[in-house]
Amino acid sequence: MGQRLPAWLGFFLVAACVVVGRTITLGAALPAGDLSNDVCLACHGDASASTRLGNGRTLSLYVDHKALAGSVHAGLACTDCHSDITTVPHPAKTFPDEHSVSLAYHQVCKQCHFDEYSRLLDDVHHAALAKANRHAPTCIDCHGSHAIALPAQPRSRISEACARCHAAVAGEYVKSVHGKALIEQGNNDVPVCTDCHHAHNTANPFSASWHLQIPQMCAGCHANKQLMAKYAISTAVLTTYLNDFHGMTASLHRMEKAHPREFTATCTDCHGVHDIRQVEGAGLVAIKQHLLITCRRCHTNASPNFPSAWVGHYEPSLRHSPLVYAVKLFYDIFIPLIVGGLALQILLNLWRTVVNR
């Protein structure tokens, strides 16, 4: 019978095997081609994995393998994005804060999403990044990192993402007719942030050019007959606006591409921006109050009844503005009769002149 090893020696050999085994699995000997996701998750699958940032805060390095498997990037390898990792264990990285982390990987996304990245170059967020604004969002801030889902499933996800920076605006939106329909009723017909502001080429909403293109933006939904029929809403909103004084003025100003003039009343001046209310009940009262404020920006002496002179987004009819409809009908008949009568008189006079010559 062989001699038994001392207990301390057995413990040492077991520990050595564990260390050597881990070195073989995760050691520097593993080249980039052998770095499978399982190898990365051997460390990053530990919920306690973290690193200390320069600002003293702790950044979690944990990656939930289930969330990763359920993301839109489930078919990618970790090194497709983290291409600078060539061996395991890899050198530790240091960052001053969370924004620096997302900024470091901001350029990685364009390898696959070049079209979106190109549009982003004209975006207000990218302009803020170029000015070293520490609050400007990057791809990761909006889309996430390892648990990236389709941004419009559900559609409320889009507004929730924007709310992380634009909390005050989001607070107004959730109380609006659009926000309530989306969040409380799950109605996907209503617009979310990106329907109006776009996703990767967001323009400056405070510019004159933006203000003047608002009617066309709203018409994207409100001129859609099939969509508006579901809610019994008139689709004449754009044509009636463009045919009145304000709409014609906006069209003329919009053609001034060099220096478009900023103020002419558009949809949001009367209906609100993110706090749009229903045009009935308490919402109608709020709109009328807002209308008077808007009117007085140009018509400084406007009386409380001044907004009532506007017939709204309806063609005059017996139901809507019957007096205007009656006057319009009268002139539609009277003017052709007068013009026709004058033309007939001229023709008869010419005929008489020719006959009596």
Side-chain angles (χ1 to χ4, degrees):
M1 181 179 292
Q3 187 176 2
R4 295 182 62 183
L5 293 173
W8 65 269
L9 182 58
F11 176 81
F12 175 79
L13 290 174
V14 171
C17 289
V18 171
V19 172
V20 171
R22 186 169 179 83
T23 302
I24 293 173
T25 304
L26 302 175
L30 283 178
D34 295 333
L35 298 183
S36 67
N37 288 2
D38 289 337
V39 172
C40 298
L41 289 171
C43 287
H44 291 279
D46 182 354
S48 64
S50 63
T51 187
R52 181 75 66 177
L53 297 173
N55 59 8
R57 299 178 63 175
T58 299
L59 176 70
S60 174
L61 300 178
Y62 169 64
V63 177
D64 186 339
H65 70 94
K66 291 183 179 179
L68 182 63
S71 76
V72 294
H73 292 156
L76 298 180
C78 300
T79 51
D80 288 332
C81 296
H82 300 275
S83 56
D84 55 330
I85 303 300
T86 57
T87 58
V88 173
H90 55 78
K93 294 185 176 183
T94 57
F95 296 98
D97 52 32
E98 293 87 343
H99 181 73
S100 299
V101 177
S102 62
L103 198 60
Y105 290 101
H106 179 59
Q107 300 290 330
V108 173
C109 301
K110 73 176 180 181
Q111 297 175 20
C112 296
H113 305 283
F114 187 75
D115 289 343
E116 288 78 6
Y117 184 85
S118 297
R119 291 199 299 271
L120 190 65
L121 298 178
D122 296 323
D123 186 274
V124 291
H125 298 127
H126 187 271
L129 280 175
K131 295 178 181 178
N133 187 326
R134 307 293 294 176
H135 300 289
T138 65
C139 306
I140 295 173
D141 294 313
C142 297
H143 294 280
S145 53
H146 299 103
I148 299 176
L150 292 174
Q153 293 184 2
R155 271 172 65 80
S156 58
R157 184 192 299 273
I158 297 173
S159 299
E160 290 169 358
C162 298
R164 289 197 285 269
C165 291
H166 304 281
V169 170
E172 294 180 357
Y173 174 77
V174 297
K175 297 176 183 177
S176 73
V177 63
H178 295 141
K180 285 183 177 180
L182 176 69
I183 297 169
E184 297 178 7
Q185 303 169 20
N187 188 335
N188 289 328
D189 288 339
V190 298
V192 294
C193 309
T194 52
D195 291 312
C196 299
H197 296 279
H198 305 297
H200 301 101
N201 55 339
T202 306
N204 180 4
F206 301 105
S207 65
S209 57
W210 169 272
H211 186 253
L212 292 173
Q213 61 87 36
I214 287 174
Q216 280 68 29
M217 179 180 69
C218 296
C221 291
H222 286 277
N224 185 325
K225 292 184 178 181
Q226 183 177 0
L227 179 61
M228 292 298 103
K230 295 170 62 176
Y231 306 99
I233 297 176
S234 170
T235 57
V237 289
L238 182 62
T239 54
T240 53
Y241 171 78
L242 293 177
N243 288 335
D244 75 6
F245 173 79
H246 297 119
M248 291 182 180
T249 304
S251 297
L252 291 172
H253 287 181
R254 194 163 49 250
M255 290 187 289
E256 299 174 1
K257 295 183 179 180
H259 301 287
R261 277 174 278 184
E262 184 166 354
F263 187 75
T264 185
T266 62
C267 313
T268 54
D269 294 302
C270 300
H271 293 278
V273 184
H274 300 103
D275 57 344
I276 297 174
R277 307 294 179 88
Q278 285 185 313
V279 290
E280 58 186 20
L284 180 59
V285 174
I287 288 174
K288 285 187 174 180
Q289 292 174 346
H290 198 80
L291 272 174
L292 183 59
I293 295 172
T294 300
C295 293
R296 283 177 173 171
R297 291 175 66 181
C298 288
H299 309 280
T300 54
N301 296 322
S303 68
N305 292 326
F306 184 85
S308 301
W310 182 56
V311 298
H313 292 298
Y314 294 96
E315 293 288 348
S317 65
L318 291 175
R319 180 180 178 185
H320 298 286
S321 305
L323 180 59
V324 176
Y325 171 75
V327 172
K328 181 178 181 297
L329 181 62
F330 170 77
Y331 279 108
D332 285 345
I333 298 172
F334 181 71
I335 291 176
L337 284 176
I338 294 297
V339 174
L342 289 172
L344 180 61
Q345 182 183 14
I346 293 171
L347 290 174
L348 289 173
N349 188 51
L350 289 174
W351 177 78
R352 182 177 180 181
T353 301
V354 172
V355 170
N356 294 336
R357 179 176 293 179

